[in-house]
Amino acid sequence: MFALVVRRLLFSIPVLLLLTLVLFLAVKLVPGDAALVMAGERATPEKVEYIRQALNLDKPWYTQYGMYIWRLVTDFDLGQSLFHDRPIADLLSTAVPATVELGFAALVIALPVGVVLGIASAVFRNTLIDKAATSTALAGVSMPIFWLALILMYVFSIQLGWLPTSGRMSDEALFDPALDSVTRMYTLDGLLIGLKTGEWEVFQYAVKHIVLPAVALSTIPMAQISRMTRSSFLEVLGQDFIRTARAKGVRPSMVIFKHAFRNASLQIVTVSMLQAGTIFGGAVITETMFAWPGLGKVLVESISSRDFPMVQSGTLFVGCVFVLFNLTADVLYGLLDPRVKKGA
């Protein structure tokens, strides 16, 4: 297993280098003077010259790329945000935890619900349960997130008044993110505060704020996981070893969760990791609709303000997330299928 992890890590290095090169050259493809485009048409010559020097645009592109990689590897220096006038690493340290918190909450909803719906749909094929589960998955993958977000806000916030429409924490909570936040993920901070002091107000407010965006973000991954789980289970349930197990009198629950699930799990892991990468990579629409201050919202602001260094760094982070989840999928393959481990 260790050899498998090391091999996949080594394979990831050229992928990340290629990604940095593609993102770097994409900025160079901007028509006209890149410094003038980033500064805007009404920018002063001093500001244009400041951007040109800050990004080393007066040097050859290969020299710029080499300097960028050197700073990235040695100091984890992603550069300076032109719009916020702050180091990009500082912006990511604030935005990424918010996206991770929202993505994890969405994954907690999407993964078990999708797997359960897919298994139920396959086991009770062509029944009312199958039709209900399939219709749920179809609705989840078909509904636009912005429309679902508006419906959720209208029903649960405006009509019922149960949940807030935006933000991460209520103003009524005795919680200062700059002083009280340890992990920069408010639900986890609230949980730690509750376990330490017995006061659960912060945790309750954090959960209320994350429910609606997490539900909206989880619908498409849940639908994709459900459809893949159903397809994989139908294929496995039709194989000879399943019929043999049933002929031997093995309990139906053992046939489904021990024999069928293990053999169908590789496909489920594949689609789950891909959907997890999409979730954690930055939920642009969801974060924008619910004013969630995560990476997706920061990227939208950066694109609107032509902050190309921030866009480049944010996209690089998204690529790293996908590489990480692909690596996780490979490791899970080795645990689930001994043939993968031997092939490493």
Side-chain angles (χ1 to χ4, degrees), residues 291-320:
W292 189 269
L295 180 61
K297 190 171 183 292
V298 171
L299 285 177
V300 171
E301 295 175 350
S302 301
I303 294 172
S304 302
S305 60
R306 302 174 183 177
D307 190 355
F308 291 161
M310 184 66 225
V311 175
Q312 180 180 352
S313 299
T315 309
L316 177 61
F317 173 80
V318 173
C320 292

Side-chain angles (χ1 to χ4, degrees), residues 8-341:
R8 295 299 187 267
L9 280 174
L10 293 177
F11 285 163
S12 301
I13 294 176
V15 174
L16 293 176
L17 286 176
L18 180 60
L19 177 62
T20 59
L21 180 60
V22 171
L23 292 174
F24 184 83
L25 294 178
V27 177
K28 302 301 177 186
L29 295 177
V30 176
D33 187 350
L36 182 60
V37 171
M38 285 183 271
E41 297 179 356
R42 300 182 179 180
T44 61
E46 291 78 11
K47 183 176 181 180
V48 175
E49 185 62 25
Y50 166 76
I51 294 175
R52 184 175 288 109
Q53 293 181 1
L55 301 180
N56 299 308
L57 297 177
D58 53 344
K59 296 180 174 61
W61 73 267
Y62 48 84
T63 303
Q64 300 175 36
Y65 178 70
M67 296 173 64
Y68 171 72
I69 292 297
W70 178 257
R71 293 196 307 267
L72 183 62
V73 173
T74 57
D75 300 327
F76 193 65
D77 184 6
L78 296 171
Q80 192 84 359
S81 171
L82 302 177
F83 177 71
H84 298 278
D85 197 21
R86 291 175 52 193
I88 294 176
D90 291 347
L91 291 173
L92 292 181
S93 66
T94 302
V96 168
T99 296
V100 171
E101 179 184 22
L102 177 59
F104 183 77
L107 193 61
V108 167
I109 298 173
L111 187 58
V113 173
V115 171
V116 170
L117 286 178
I119 293 176
S121 181
V123 173
F124 301 98
R125 184 181 182 183
N126 297 328
T127 63
L128 186 60
I129 295 177
D130 181 21
K131 294 179 180 179
T134 304
S135 300
T136 302
L138 182 60
V141 78
S142 302
M143 284 188 297
I145 292 182
F146 69 88
W147 181 82
L148 178 61
L150 292 174
I151 295 298
L152 291 175
M153 286 188 285
Y154 176 76
V155 174
F156 294 99
S157 298
I158 298 177
Q159 293 296 322
L160 299 177
W162 292 350
L163 300 170
T165 58
S166 62
R168 298 179 65 192
M169 182 60 64
S170 174
D171 295 334
E172 301 175 1
L174 299 177
F175 180 78
D176 186 355
L179 300 176
D180 302 327
S181 180
V182 177
T183 64
R184 299 190 179 182
M185 292 183 279
Y186 294 172
T187 51
L188 184 56
D189 289 331
L191 181 62
L192 295 176
I193 293 174
L195 293 174
K196 183 177 180 180
T197 64
E199 298 292 334
W200 296 95
E201 182 186 42
V202 174
F203 178 72
Q204 292 173 356
Y205 279 123
V207 170
K208 286 183 178 180
H209 278 77
I210 203 173
V211 167
L212 290 186
V215 171
L217 184 58
S218 68
T219 52
I220 294 179
M222 177 273 295
Q224 298 287 4
I225 293 172
S226 175
R227 296 170 68 182
M228 179 58 70
T229 302
R230 182 182 187 276
S231 176
S232 302
F233 259 80
L234 287 176
E235 181 180 354
V236 171
L237 290 175
Q239 296 183 7
D240 293 337
F241 73 94
I242 295 294
R243 287 192 288 267
T244 302
R246 287 173 172 171
K248 288 182 178 180
V250 179
R251 294 197 305 271
S253 59
M254 291 290 292
V255 172
I256 295 171
F257 294 106
K258 183 178 180 180
H259 299 284
F261 187 80
R262 184 177 181 86
N263 285 272
S265 58
L266 290 180
Q267 290 82 358
I268 298 174
V269 166
T270 300
V271 70
S272 298
M273 291 299 103
L274 290 176
Q275 295 302 318
T278 303
I279 289 175
F280 285 93
V284 176
I285 298 177
T286 304
E287 291 182 358
T288 302
M289 293 296 298
F290 290 96
W292 189 269
L295 180 61
K297 190 171 183 292
V298 171
L299 285 177
V300 171
E301 295 175 350
S302 301
I303 294 172
S304 302
S305 60
R306 302 174 183 177
D307 190 355
F308 291 161
M310 184 66 225
V311 175
Q312 180 180 352
S313 299
T315 309
L316 177 61
F317 173 80
V318 173
C320 292
V321 168
F322 274 95
V323 171
L324 174 62
F325 278 104
N326 284 332
L327 176 64
T328 304
D330 290 337
V331 174
L332 292 176
Y333 286 167
L335 295 174
L336 297 171
D337 192 344
R339 294 173 297 180
V340 176
K341 191 186 305 183

